[in-house]
Amino acid sequence: MAASLLTEAGIDVQPCADLPNLVAELQDGAGFAVVAEEALRGADTRSLSAFIECQPEWSDFPFILLTFRGGGLERNPSAKRLLDMLGNVTFLERPFHPTTFVSLAQAALRSRRRQYEARARLVALRKAEEELQLALSAGKLGAWTLEVPSRRLMASPQCKAIFGRTADAAFSFDDLVASLHPDDRDAAFRAASTGLDTGSDYDGEYRCVWPDGSVHWIAVRGRPVFFDHEKRAHRITGVSSDITARKQSEESLLDSERELRQLADSIPTLCWMAEPDGDVVWYNERWYSYTGSKPEDVKGWGWKSLHDPAALPLVLERWEKSLRSGEPFEMVFPLRDANGWFRSFLTRVVPVRDSSGQITRWFGSNTDISQQQEVEAALRDLAAQLERRVDERTREREEALQKLHEVRKIEVIGQLTGGVAHDFNNLLMPILAGLEMLQRRYPDDERTQRLIGMALQGAERSRTLISRLLSFARRQNLEARPVDVGDLVNGMMDLMLRTLGPQIDIHLKIAEGLPAASVDPNQFELALLNLAVNSRDAMPDGGRIIIEISLETVQNDSKDLKSGAYIRVAVTDTGYGMDEATLQHAIEPFYSTKGVGKGTGLGLSMVYGLAAQSGGMLRLASRSGEGTTAELLLPSTASVAGAIKDSADETLSRGRPLSILLVDDEELARKSAAEMLADLGHSVTQAGSAETAIELLGAHQFDLIATDYLMPRRNGLELVEDARSIRPGLAAVIITGFANIPKERAADLVVLSKPFRQTELARALADAWGKEALLADNKAGADSIWAGTYVRLEREGIFQRRLPIMRFANDLQRRVLPSKRLHASQNDGMFGSSGS
C-alpha cells in the first residue's frame, strides 16, 4: 500500500525484504527510506549503523519510521534508541493518512535533494578555493599599478598574459586603452574617473581585444592611494583577471533560466513565486490556462479572487502565519477554473533563503488532487465492502468449522461403532452356529425347537443391529448394482402397508424414464423401510407419507457430492417434525427422541452410512410441527437394471466333501465355523495364524482355504496370495466383518460376511469351488472341472438365458490350459445336446 501511494505520487519505489537489501539500496543512492519499526526489532542492524556512521559530512540520510506507538518516549520506549541509531528519522504512527505519508515522503526527498545540492555547492566552493589559491600562487591574478600624473603603467607578467601579451612584451597605459573593446571604452573611463575623483574603489568589467583578435572579458579592481593635499590620487593599485569563462557561464545560466521558465510553464502543476511579504510576482503558464486569468488580475494578492469564499479565510490565516514564521505552507483547498468550477488542489509553499538564512522568495505549487480524492473515496468504499465480505466469510468459516466438527465427531463415532460391530460379529458366530446345529439335531423336540427358534430370532435381531452399526460406519459389504428404484419401491408397497398400519396413508410419485441407480437393493429396502417407520412414529395419530422418486443433477463438485446425475428418493411426512437442535444430532448413532425401548437410534445412522458408502448423500429438512423430509441421493448409472433375486433362505446344499484349511485368529469364531463345516461333511484343519496356515499348506493338500480377513501381521488377502504361490489354483473364501477389502485384489475371490448362517457358508463354498473349477489342475480330472462349471452356470442363470453353447465353449477354452483337452463324451447328457 505504501509503495502504491509513493508510486502514485511520482516517486520511484524499491521494496526491500530485509536489512541487507535495504543497505544495498542505500549505498546505491536512495533518496530516503521508509522502514517498519518491527523490521528493526531483533534484527542485526550493524550494516545499517555502519552506513549511517560512514556518511560524508554533507549527508544526513532521512528515514521515515512506521510505528504503532509514535515517537514519544512515554508511548514508545524504543524511540530514543531508534533515533540515536538512525539520526535523521521521522516517526509516523500507524494507521496513517495517505496525504500525510506522501507529504512526509516528498519532504524527505526534498531534504535529500538539498543535501546533494549542498554537496555540489561544497564541492564547487572547495574547487573555487583551490583554484583561487592556485591562481594566487601561480599568478593567475595579474597585479598592476598606474601612476596617474605620468600615466605610467606597471603590469606583472600575469597581468600582461590576461591582456594577451607575453611576459617580455611592452605594455603601456596606451596599449591598455587600445586593447579595450570600443563599446566598453567609455564605460571604463567613467568608472576610473569616478574612483579618482571620489577616492572610492575602482571596480569594472569590460571586454578587451587581444592582439590575435580574440575578445576576452577582463575584471579590473583597484584602489586609489597616495593622495595629495587636494585629496587627489597619485596612484591606483589593483588586480586584473580574465573572466571570460564566468561571463560564458553567466550566459549559460541565463539560457538555463529561460529553459527552466519554459519547463515551469509546461508542467501540469500550477507554479508561482512570491516576494518575502507574500506578493506574487510570477505564475507559470499552466496557472493562467487553468484559471483563465490575466497577469494584471492576479498580481500581488489578486489570487484571492480565485478561491472559494467559504475556504478563503482559513487559507489567508494559514498563509499569513507562514509569512510571519517562515514555516512552509501546506493545505488542501479548492481553486476556480476558467469555467467557474472548483477543484481540489494540494498547495505547498516553501521559502527560498539566501546564505544568511533570509527569505528571498516563496515558491509555491498547486497540485490537482480531485481525481486522487475520488480514488481515495472509491478505495474507502472498497475497503468497507471488503470488510463486510471478510465478516461474511468469517461467519461462513465459523459455520463450516462447526459442520466439520460435527462430521469429524460422526466419523470418530463411526470408527468406534465399526470396531464394536466387528467384535460383536465374532461373538455372534459361535451363537448362530451352535443354535443352527442344535436346531437340526433335535427336529422332533417341540420345546427345544421353540427355545432355539427364539434364540435364533434374538441372534438375527442382533445381526441386524450390527448391520446397522456397520452401515453407519460405512464398513458393511455392499453389493451395488444397477437397480430400478421405482420397480423396487413398487414391490415393497405391500410390505410397507402391512408394516406401517392402516392409519398411515402412503402416496407414491415416480417420475417417468428414470435411469437405474447404483445401490445394494437389500440395503436400500432396509433404508427405505427405516425412513418410513421413522415417519410413522412421528405421526402417532396417523397421517400421510409421500414417497417421491425423481432425477436430480448436481452441477459442481462439493465435499459431499460429485457432479453428475442422482436418483432422488424423498420421504415426506406430516408428523410433528424436529427442531434445529434435534436436526443437528439426528444421524448420530444411538440418538433417539423415542421413548426407552422404542428405538435403537440407528435407523437414520444406517441410512446415512448407506448413502455415503454408495457415493450419494442423505439430506434432512424439518421444522417443528411441519413434518420432515428425508432425501436419499443415489448415483445413477447407464447400465440396465437387472432383476432382483429372491432373498429367501436357500436349501442347505452339502455338495461333495472337501479338505478345507480354516484360518482365524479369533478362536471362538474359528471353532464355530469349523463345527459348521464338519456338519456339512467337510474335512477341516484349523490354523490360528497366517504363519501356521503357510506351514500346513506346505505339508498337506487342501481343496479350499477359508480365512478371516483382519488378522495380525498378515491379512487374509495376503495369505491367499501366498497360499496360491504354494498351491496354484487353490479355491479361497475370505471371511470378514468389514467392507474395506480392495475390490481389485478380491475380484476372483468369494467374500463371506460375518456373522453367517450355515446355508450362507455352504453357498460360499459352492461359489468358491465353482470359480476355481475352471482353473483346476488336470490331476483333479475333467469331471471335477465340468461339475464345478455346471454349478456356476446353473447358479448364474446361463441356461435360462439360452446362452449359445459356443460362447461357453470359447470361454472355457480360453481358461483351460492348452494341454488340457475336453472330449465330446463329457458333454453328453449335461446340455441335452451331442453336437458340442
Side-chain angles (χ1 to χ4, degrees):
M1 180 67 74
S4 300
L5 291 172
L6 296 178
T7 302
E8 185 176 350
I11 299 175
D12 186 16
V13 179
Q14 178 60 46
C16 298
D18 49 35
L19 289 183
N21 191 5
L22 172 64
V23 173
E25 292 294 336
L26 300 184
Q27 294 172 345
D28 202 29
F32 65 97
V34 180
V35 184
E37 182 182 5
E38 55 268 28
L40 301 177
R41 190 180 301 120
D44 185 0
T45 59
R46 288 178 295 178
S47 60
L48 181 60
S49 300
F51 167 80
I52 296 173
E53 293 172 358
C54 295
Q55 295 182 93
E57 59 182 2
W58 58 267
S59 176
D60 189 11
F61 190 88
F63 291 86
I64 298 176
L65 190 64
L66 304 182
T67 175
F68 284 111
R69 293 178 293 178
L73 294 178
E74 66 279 358
R75 291 184 58 203
N76 191 355
S78 63
K80 184 176 185 307
R81 179 182 64 84
L82 297 173
L83 181 61
D84 294 340
M85 180 181 69
L86 299 178
N88 184 10
V89 57
T90 301
F91 293 88
L92 179 58
E93 186 173 359
R94 288 178 287 185
F96 54 80
H97 194 279
T99 302
T100 303
F101 175 67
V102 172
S103 176
L104 288 176
Q106 292 178 336
L109 193 59
R110 289 195 302 271
S111 172
R112 188 60 174 171
R113 286 180 176 141
R114 286 195 294 271
Q115 292 178 23
Y116 276 97
E117 292 170 358
R119 181 189 69 173
R121 290 194 297 270
L122 182 62
V123 171
L125 180 60
R126 289 179 177 176
K127 182 178 179 180
E129 289 177 353
E130 292 174 357
E131 290 179 351
L132 178 59
Q133 292 299 327
L134 183 61
L136 291 175
S137 62
K140 294 292 184 180
L141 287 178
W144 55 267
T145 300
L146 175 65
E147 294 180 353
V148 176
S150 62
R151 292 190 177 186
R152 178 170 174 262
L153 177 65
M154 294 172 288
S156 67
Q158 293 76 19
C159 180
K160 294 179 182 180
I162 291 173
F163 285 89
R165 269 71 174 179
T166 59
D168 54 353
F171 187 60
S172 63
F173 178 75
D174 293 334
D175 294 331
L176 185 148
V177 172
S179 67
L180 295 178
H181 194 281
D183 296 339
D184 297 341
R185 193 170 296 164
D186 292 339
F189 277 117
R190 285 195 301 272
S193 298
T194 302
L196 290 174
D197 294 338
T198 61
S200 60
D201 290 346
Y202 167 60
D203 191 354
E205 296 177 354
Y206 47 85
R207 290 168 291 178
C208 70
V209 182
W210 282 13
D212 60 2
S214 60
V215 178
H216 296 260
W217 278 93
I218 306 297
V220 180
R221 292 174 177 81
R223 174 169 297 178
V225 293
F226 296 108
F227 295 93
D228 58 12
H229 62 279
E230 296 180 356
K231 296 183 178 182
R232 296 183 64 180
H234 286 184
R235 180 183 298 176
I236 300 177
T237 300
V239 295
S240 299
S241 61
D242 189 339
I243 60 171
T244 304
R246 194 195 79 187
K247 285 295 184 178
Q248 293 174 348
S249 297
E250 289 177 353
E251 186 63 29
S252 298
L253 181 60
L254 291 176
D255 293 340
S256 298
E257 288 180 353
R258 287 190 292 269
E259 293 175 357
L260 181 60
R261 184 179 296 273
Q262 292 175 356
L263 177 62
D265 289 338
S266 63
I267 61 176
T269 303
L270 313 184
C271 299
W272 47 273
M273 293 186 67
E275 296 288 355
D277 59 0
D279 287 343
V280 180
V281 295
W282 170 82
Y283 295 96
N284 67 344
E285 288 299 324
R286 181 66 179 174
W287 171 278
Y288 295 116
S289 63
Y290 172 78
T291 61
S293 60
K294 297 179 180 178
E296 57 270 18
D297 298 333
V298 292
K299 186 178 180 181
W301 291 64
W303 47 265
K304 295 188 292 183
S305 61
L306 301 174
H307 281 249
D308 184 354
L312 182 59
L314 182 59
V315 174
L316 291 174
E317 178 184 348
R318 296 277 299 277
W319 176 227
E320 290 171 354
K321 179 180 178 181
S322 293
L323 291 176
R324 291 192 303 270
S325 64
E327 297 177 353
F329 173 93
E330 182 172 324
M331 188 177 179
V332 176
F333 50 76
L335 287 177
R336 189 179 69 238
D337 63 12
N339 298 319
W341 297 95
F342 285 97
R343 295 166 67 178
S344 294
F345 281 80
L346 172 61
T347 298
R348 294 189 180 93
V349 188
V350 294
V352 179
R353 302 178 185 272
D354 59 14
S355 58
S356 64
Q358 295 297 319
I359 297 176
T360 59
R361 283 284 192 275
W362 290 92
F363 181 79
S365 64
N366 307 86
T367 304
D368 188 350
I369 61 170
S370 56
Q371 292 183 352
Q372 177 182 335
Q373 290 179 332
E374 294 174 359
V375 172
E376 290 175 354
L379 286 175
R380 286 193 295 271
D381 294 340
L382 178 59
Q385 294 177 8
L386 289 175
E387 186 174 356
R388 288 193 296 270
R389 292 178 64 182
V390 168
D391 292 340
E392 293 174 359
R393 293 297 174 86
T394 302
R395 287 193 297 271
E396 293 175 358
R397 180 177 179 274
E398 291 176 353
E399 294 173 358
L401 287 176
Q402 184 177 2
K403 292 180 180 178
L404 179 61
H405 175 71
E406 293 297 328
V407 170
R408 287 179 175 174
K409 181 172 68 175
I410 291 174
E411 289 293 337
V412 171
I413 295 174
Q415 293 175 4
L416 175 63
T417 55
V420 172
H422 176 263
D423 292 338
F424 269 126
N425 277 334
N426 286 331
L427 294 176
L428 278 177
M429 276 291 303
I431 296 174
L432 282 173
L435 290 173
E436 277 196 309
M437 286 185 288
L438 286 173
Q439 189 179 42
R440 285 194 295 276
R441 180 165 296 183
Y442 303 101
D444 300 328
D445 190 336
E446 181 178 350
R447 184 171 181 274
T448 300
Q449 288 292 318
R450 185 173 65 255
L451 293 175
I452 293 175
M454 287 188 296
L456 282 172
Q457 185 179 3
E460 284 294 336
R461 291 183 63 181
S462 299
R463 185 181 182 185
T464 302
L465 177 62
I466 294 172
S467 177
R468 289 183 177 182
L469 286 172
L470 288 174
S471 176
F472 169 76
R474 306 183 202 176
R475 293 184 177 181
Q476 81 276 35
N477 290 305
L478 295 183
E479 296 182 6
R481 57 177 180 267
V483 175
D484 188 328
V485 176
D487 289 347
L488 189 61
V489 175
N490 271 322
M492 292 179 60
M493 289 305 296
D494 290 340
L495 174 62
M496 295 181 66
L497 289 171
R498 291 194 303 269
T499 303
L500 301 181
Q503 289 183 306
I504 304 300
D505 186 15
I506 302 178
H507 288 261
L508 190 59
K509 299 180 181 179
I510 303 176
E512 296 182 357
L514 292 177
S518 177
V519 67
D520 185 318
N522 296 325
Q523 293 293 332
F524 172 75
E525 288 177 347
L526 182 59
L528 184 61
L529 191 59
N530 275 323
L531 294 177
V533 170
N534 282 347
S535 295
R536 179 202 64 188
D537 294 342
M539 300 181 292
D541 299 326
R544 173 181 296 181
I545 295 177
I546 301 174
I547 301 175
E548 184 180 0
I549 304 174
S550 59
L551 184 66
E552 181 172 321
T553 302
V554 176
Q555 297 292 343
N556 298 315
D557 287 350
S558 67
K559 64 178 181 180
D560 298 317
L561 286 177
K562 294 184 178 180
S563 300
Y566 292 83
I567 300 299
R568 171 180 172 270
V569 181
V571 178
T572 304
D573 62 55
T574 57
Y576 45 72
M578 295 180 284
D579 58 21
E580 187 65 27
T582 303
L583 193 62
Q584 293 294 327
H585 300 280
I587 65 172
E588 294 181 5
F590 309 112
Y591 180 83
S592 176
T593 58
K594 303 175 183 178
V596 178
K598 294 184 179 181
T600 63
L602 289 172
L604 285 178
S605 300
M606 173 265 179
V607 178
Y608 169 81
L610 171 66
Q613 196 170 351
S614 299
M617 71 175 297
L618 174 65
R619 295 190 302 218
L620 295 177
S622 182
R623 296 182 65 179
S624 295
E626 298 183 9
T628 301
T629 298
E631 296 177 320
L632 183 60
L633 297 184
L634 300 172
S636 67
T637 176
S639 302
V640 178
I644 304 302
K645 294 182 181 180
D646 189 0
S647 60
D649 288 342
E650 298 180 10
T651 303
L652 183 61
S653 177
R654 296 181 180 272
R656 81 169 182 84
L658 300 174
S659 175
I660 298 175
L661 175 61
L662 178 62
V663 187
D664 197 330
D665 63 314
E666 181 66 34
E667 182 179 4
L668 199 57
R670 185 180 73 247
K671 287 184 177 180
S672 62
E675 291 292 339
M676 288 184 179
L677 292 172
D679 189 60
L680 290 172
H682 302 297
S683 173
V684 183
T685 301
Q686 299 184 44
S689 65
E691 291 74 12
T692 303
I694 293 298
E695 293 177 1
L696 291 172
L697 283 167
H700 302 281
Q701 184 74 26
F702 295 101
D703 297 319
L704 182 143
I705 181 173
T707 175
D708 186 36
Y709 173 68
L710 194 60
M711 294 187 298
R713 293 183 295 277
R714 188 182 306 182
N715 61 41
L717 281 180
E718 295 170 343
L719 175 57
V720 170
E721 291 173 355
D722 293 343
R724 286 181 172 174
S725 66
I726 300 173
R727 295 282 185 267
L730 180 65
V733 175
I734 298 293
I735 303 173
T736 182
F738 277 33
N740 52 356
I741 299 179
K743 293 183 179 180
E744 65 277 3
R745 296 179 61 185
D748 62 337
L749 298 175
V750 174
V751 179
L752 178 61
S753 298
K754 291 181 180 180
F756 49 81
R757 304 286 291 271
Q758 195 171 22
T759 54
E760 296 169 338
L761 177 59
R763 185 168 61 250
L765 294 177
D767 288 344
W769 187 249
K771 280 190 174 183
E772 300 303 327
L774 291 177
L775 300 177
D777 193 87
N778 245 355
K779 295 178 182 179
D783 291 339
S784 62
I785 296 177
W786 278 103
T789 305
Y790 183 79
V791 171
R792 171 189 174 204
L793 295 174
E794 184 179 28
R795 184 176 66 252
E796 296 183 358
I798 293 179
F799 299 134
Q800 289 77 359
R801 294 199 297 269
R802 302 181 186 276
L803 179 70
I805 295 299
M806 186 56 68
R807 284 183 56 191
F808 164 71
N810 291 338
D811 179 64
L812 188 62
Q813 184 179 3
R814 285 194 303 271
R815 292 175 178 268
V816 179
L817 296 176
S819 61
K820 299 171 185 177
R821 311 182 64 87
L822 300 178
H823 303 283
S825 60
Q826 294 172 326
N827 281 335
D828 294 343
M830 185 173 289
F831 297 96
S833 172
S834 60
S836 300

